[in-house]
């Protein structure tokens, strides 16, 4: 009945944790982006302040303007004539040829490496850096302020060296691959308002070799704190949820206990009330044998009720009466206990056998609690048994230190999950045939208390459909 609600709770809990983790991840991601945007900001600002004066009245790097002007003014008149004659194909071919030759010479004579090293030295930067110096756009002005595109970044030009074309422009020098706004040091546009001039956009990007790891190292305290908080919430949530499940299961078992104790107490009380009412009937009490029979019923049911109350009180308060041990032969004690048990078996399909394989069987034992323990284990083997016949085998064997008492049945058996819980107070394993099982869920719990009170050891072996075996390790006494 509680399976589906618990599943729903688990799903809701899982969703809540995922939402929490997602919020944490979102915050960390945004923090990473902020750190990434401001990473190396002071150093980049210093390089910006040094780069622009270094190319004052120049372009790209010192001496680049002479190379650019040489190629531009060599072709600008021809390109103007082709453009005005509407010879688009020839114009397009010539502008690419001009750009390719200009870019090649700019790359060959670049002093970008020495420029960057000089700026690093001036700023006292010791980190390893990568840079990229690139041309983004070139426009010609055949007439004043009317610019015609000659090279535009983002376009592919078949007559320009493919190796130097990036999405951001033409790479003149440097090996920095990841070009973006966060590592931009300077972006300049140089133009002239006169006719027969040109406009050029170029940029400098500088970054460390391992930018991502550098940002992460700066964020490491925050990252570790966030991870710790998530793990702490997960652990606290898990412990809380586990305890809630235990409390819920305990509440369900207590409810089940109340229902079953009501049934267990109702049976003898009903029998006593019926017998008492019958004794008030003169027709029934007229015969002596009827009175004897009815008083016997009252006596037996009252004794049963007394034992039920005593057992429930002992188990519920966790009380164990002080043991009164006696040293005696275990095999003889088993014979007496099983003889009494056979007299009370109403199920004709039950076969109760004993096998004695011991050489030494003297043990120190409280007879009353031992008898109760053994009867509860046997009761369990009969209740959860669909076989015909229901076979219970009690056997004894010796080891060097112990007498091993085994109670084995051919019942429905148990899986590992049930085996771990059978000694819990009020726990009642489900019957595979979904038939109601009488009892309070206290029998095996009481049996384990008896074993622990004697300081013995108890082991359980069970598999579904193969029955169960309870093995008790009892220290052997010197004879």
């Amino acid at each position: 009945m509680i399976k589906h609600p618990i599943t729903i709770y688990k799903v809701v809990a899982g969703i809540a944790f995922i939402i929490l983790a997602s919020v944490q991840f979102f915050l960390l991601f945004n923090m990473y982006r902020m750190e990434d945007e401001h990473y190396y900001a002071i150093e980049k600002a210093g390089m910006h302040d040094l780069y622009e004066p270094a190319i004052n009245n120049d372009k790209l790097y010192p001496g680049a303007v002479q190379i650019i002007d040489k190629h531009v003014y060599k072709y600008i008149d021809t390109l103007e004539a082709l453009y005005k004659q509407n010879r688009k194909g020839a114009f397009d071919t010539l502008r690419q040829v001009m750009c390719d030759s200009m870019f090649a010479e700019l790359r060959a004579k670049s002093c970008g490496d020495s420029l960057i090293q000089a700026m690093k030295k001036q700023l006292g930067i010791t980190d390893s850096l990568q840079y990229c110096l690139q041309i983004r756009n070139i426009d010609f002005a055949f007439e004043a302020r009317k610019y015609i595109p000659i090279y535009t970044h983002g376009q592919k030009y078949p007559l320009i060296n493919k190796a130097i074309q990036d999405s951001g422009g033409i790479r003149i020098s440097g090996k920095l691959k990841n070009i973006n706004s966060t590592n931009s040091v300077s972006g300049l546009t140089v133009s002239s308002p006169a006719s027969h001039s040109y406009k050029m956009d170029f940029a400098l990007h500088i970054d460390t070799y391992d930018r991502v790891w550098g940002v992460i190292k700066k964020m490491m305290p925050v990252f570790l704190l966030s991870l710790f908080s998530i793990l702490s919430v997960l652990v606290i949530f898990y412990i809380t949820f586990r305890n809630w499940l235990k409390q819920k299961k305990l509440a369900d078992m207590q409810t089940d206990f109340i229902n079953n104790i009501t049934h267990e107490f109702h049976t003898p009380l009903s029998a006593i009330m019926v017998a008492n009412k019958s004794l008030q009937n003169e027709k029934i009490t007229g015969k002596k044998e009827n009175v004897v029979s009815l008083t016997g019923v009252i006596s037996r049911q009252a004794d049963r009720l007394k034992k039920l109350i005593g057992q429930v009180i002992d188990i519920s308060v966790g009380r164990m009466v002080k043991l009164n041990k006696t040293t005696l032969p275990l095999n003889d004690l088993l014979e007496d206990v099983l003889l009494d048990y056979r007299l009370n078996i109403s199920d004709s399909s039950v076969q109760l056998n004993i096998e004695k394989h011991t050489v030494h069987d003297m043990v120190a034992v409280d007879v009353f609690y031992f008898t109760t323990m053994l009867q509860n284990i046997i009761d369990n083997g009969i209740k959860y048994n669909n076989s015909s016949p229901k076979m219970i085998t009690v056997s004894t064997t010796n080891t060097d230190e112990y007498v091993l008492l085994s109670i084995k049945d051919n019942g429905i058996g148990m899986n590992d999950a049930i085996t771990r819980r059978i000694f819990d107070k009020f726990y009642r394993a489900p019957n595979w045939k979904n038939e109601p099982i009488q009892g309070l869920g206290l029998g095996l719990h009481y049996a384990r208390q008896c074993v622990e009170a004697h300081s013995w050891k108890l082991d359980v072996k069970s598999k579904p459909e193969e029955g169960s075996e309870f093995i008790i390790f009892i220290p052997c006494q010197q004879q």
Side-chain angles (χ1 to χ4, degrees):
M1 295 175 61
I2 64 173
K3 179 178 179 181
H4 295 298
I6 288 179
T7 301
I8 293 174
Y9 298 147
K10 288 181 178 179
V11 170
V12 171
I15 293 174
F17 179 75
I18 291 173
I19 292 174
L20 175 63
S22 300
V23 170
Q24 286 277 17
F25 175 80
F26 178 75
L27 293 175
L28 282 175
F29 179 72
N30 282 342
M31 185 173 294
Y32 174 85
R33 291 180 59 185
M34 291 177 62
E35 286 288 347
D36 188 47
E37 290 174 358
H38 294 88
Y39 182 70
Y40 237 66
I42 297 176
E43 292 81 356
K44 287 189 297 184
M47 289 188 172
H48 175 271
D49 293 341
L50 292 177
Y51 175 68
E52 293 190 3
I55 60 168
N56 189 27
N57 297 321
D58 218 321
K59 299 176 180 68
L60 289 171
Y61 55 80
V65 68
Q66 290 85 357
I67 300 172
I68 298 170
D69 287 350
K70 180 180 69 173
H71 290 273
V72 169
Y73 293 113
K74 177 181 177 181
Y75 291 98
I76 191 168
D77 292 334
T78 306
L79 287 170
E80 181 183 12
L82 293 174
Y83 184 80
K84 290 182 176 181
Q85 294 171 15
N86 201 23
R87 296 174 62 182
K88 300 298 184 184
F91 174 83
D92 186 59
T93 300
L94 184 60
R95 69 168 177 165
Q96 292 186 57
V97 171
M98 182 206 70
C99 287
D100 185 61
S101 61
M102 180 176 65
F103 296 155
E105 186 172 355
L106 285 170
R107 286 173 57 84
K109 296 181 179 180
S110 172
C111 60
D113 291 347
S114 59
L115 178 63
I116 298 302
Q117 291 301 323
M119 290 193 299
K120 283 180 58 178
K121 185 176 181 180
Q122 197 168 348
L123 294 171
I125 297 174
T126 58
D127 295 336
S128 297
L129 300 179
Q130 292 179 311
Y131 78 98
C132 177
L133 191 58
Q134 64 178 188
I135 295 175
R136 296 179 55 81
N137 301 296
I138 299 176
D139 299 331
F140 280 4
F142 302 130
E143 298 178 20
R145 302 184 183 280
K146 293 183 179 180
Y147 291 102
I148 305 301
I150 299 300
Y151 169 80
T152 304
H153 76 278
Q155 298 184 17
K156 292 296 182 180
Y157 295 88
L159 300 181
I160 299 176
N161 186 357
K162 294 181 180 179
I164 64 174
Q165 296 188 62
D166 292 335
S167 60
I170 299 297
R171 182 184 294 268
I172 300 302
S173 61
K175 297 180 179 180
L176 180 63
K177 294 182 179 179
N178 186 20
I179 309 299
N180 52 57
S181 59
T182 58
N183 54 36
S184 176
V185 170
S186 182
L188 297 173
T189 299
V190 180
S191 63
S192 171
S195 61
H196 286 78
S197 62
Y198 63 93
K199 179 174 68 174
M200 176 179 287
D201 297 337
F202 58 96
L204 173 64
H205 294 264
I206 299 178
D207 209 342
T208 59
Y209 271 84
D210 197 350
R211 179 188 184 88
V212 174
W213 178 240
V215 175
I216 291 176
K217 283 197 296 185
K218 289 187 66 175
M219 289 183 57
M220 192 58 69
V222 176
F223 175 76
L224 292 177
L225 183 62
S226 178
L227 181 62
F228 175 75
S229 67
I230 291 177
L231 292 178
S232 299
V233 170
L234 180 61
V235 171
I236 294 172
F237 184 83
Y238 170 76
I239 293 173
T240 303
F241 190 75
R242 184 186 63 181
N243 291 340
W244 176 82
L245 285 180
K246 287 183 178 180
Q247 292 298 323
K248 181 173 178 59
K249 290 178 181 178
L250 180 61
D252 292 336
M253 286 191 292
Q254 288 176 338
T255 301
D256 194 35
F257 166 75
I258 293 173
N259 294 334
N260 283 283
I261 199 67
T262 301
H263 173 77
E264 291 292 325
F265 283 167
H266 180 75
T267 301
L269 284 173
S270 297
I272 291 172
M273 292 174 63
V274 171
N276 181 65
K277 189 174 182 179
S278 297
L279 286 174
Q280 297 174 7
N281 190 330
E282 296 180 357
K283 294 182 180 180
I284 295 177
T285 56
K287 295 183 180 181
K288 184 178 180 179
E289 58 272 19
N290 290 340
V291 176
V292 173
S293 176
L294 291 172
T295 54
V297 169
I298 293 174
S299 177
R300 289 193 299 274
Q301 296 301 325
D303 185 60
R304 180 184 176 191
L305 188 59
K306 179 181 178 181
K307 289 181 179 179
L308 273 173
I309 294 173
Q311 187 182 41
V312 170
I313 291 175
D314 286 344
I315 297 298
S316 299
V317 301
R319 183 175 66 210
M320 179 61 69
V321 179
K322 184 177 180 180
L323 299 181
N324 182 20
K325 292 185 180 180
T326 305
T327 301
L328 45 74
L330 179 61
N331 289 330
D332 293 347
L333 177 59
L334 290 173
E335 289 281 8
D336 294 340
V337 174
L338 296 182
L339 177 61
D340 292 343
Y341 195 91
R342 288 190 185 98
L343 294 176
N344 293 320
I345 293 177
S346 59
D347 191 344
S348 60
S349 67
V350 176
Q351 292 185 10
L352 189 57
N353 304 313
I354 183 171
E355 297 178 358
K356 295 174 284 186
H357 304 292
T358 54
V359 177
H360 306 291
D361 67 338
M362 296 298 292
V363 296
V365 60
D366 183 297
V367 176
F368 174 78
Y369 282 99
F370 177 85
T371 302
T372 305
M373 174 198 71
L374 186 60
Q375 289 178 348
N376 283 334
I377 295 176
I378 294 174
D379 285 343
N380 191 75
I382 294 174
K383 284 181 181 179
Y384 294 92
N385 198 325
N386 298 323
S387 302
S388 184
K390 303 175 180 179
M391 299 184 64
I392 308 294
T393 302
V394 180
S395 62
T396 59
T397 55
N398 275 125
T399 65
D400 293 339
E401 300 180 14
Y402 298 99
V403 178
L404 302 186
L405 172 60
S406 168
I407 304 98
K408 188 174 184 179
D409 63 65
N410 63 339
I412 62 177
M414 299 174 287
N415 57 34
D416 292 341
I418 294 178
T419 302
R420 287 193 294 268
R421 298 189 58 198
I422 55 174
F423 298 110
D424 293 349
K425 189 185 292 186
F426 308 131
Y427 179 74
R428 298 171 68 235
N431 187 321
W432 286 7
K433 285 190 172 182
N434 296 320
E435 297 172 353
I437 297 295
Q438 301 296 325
L440 307 177
L442 294 172
L444 291 182
H445 175 76
Y446 192 81
R448 184 178 66 175
Q449 284 198 327
C450 292
V451 170
E452 292 176 349
H454 283 86
S455 299
W456 297 343
K457 298 178 182 179
L458 175 62
D459 189 22
V460 182
K461 297 179 180 179
S462 185
K463 291 184 178 180
E465 301 183 1
E466 295 184 13
S468 303
E469 182 179 12
F470 293 77
I471 304 173
I472 302 171
F473 296 76
I474 306 174
C476 187
Q477 303 295 310
Q478 295 294 329
Q479 298 191 19

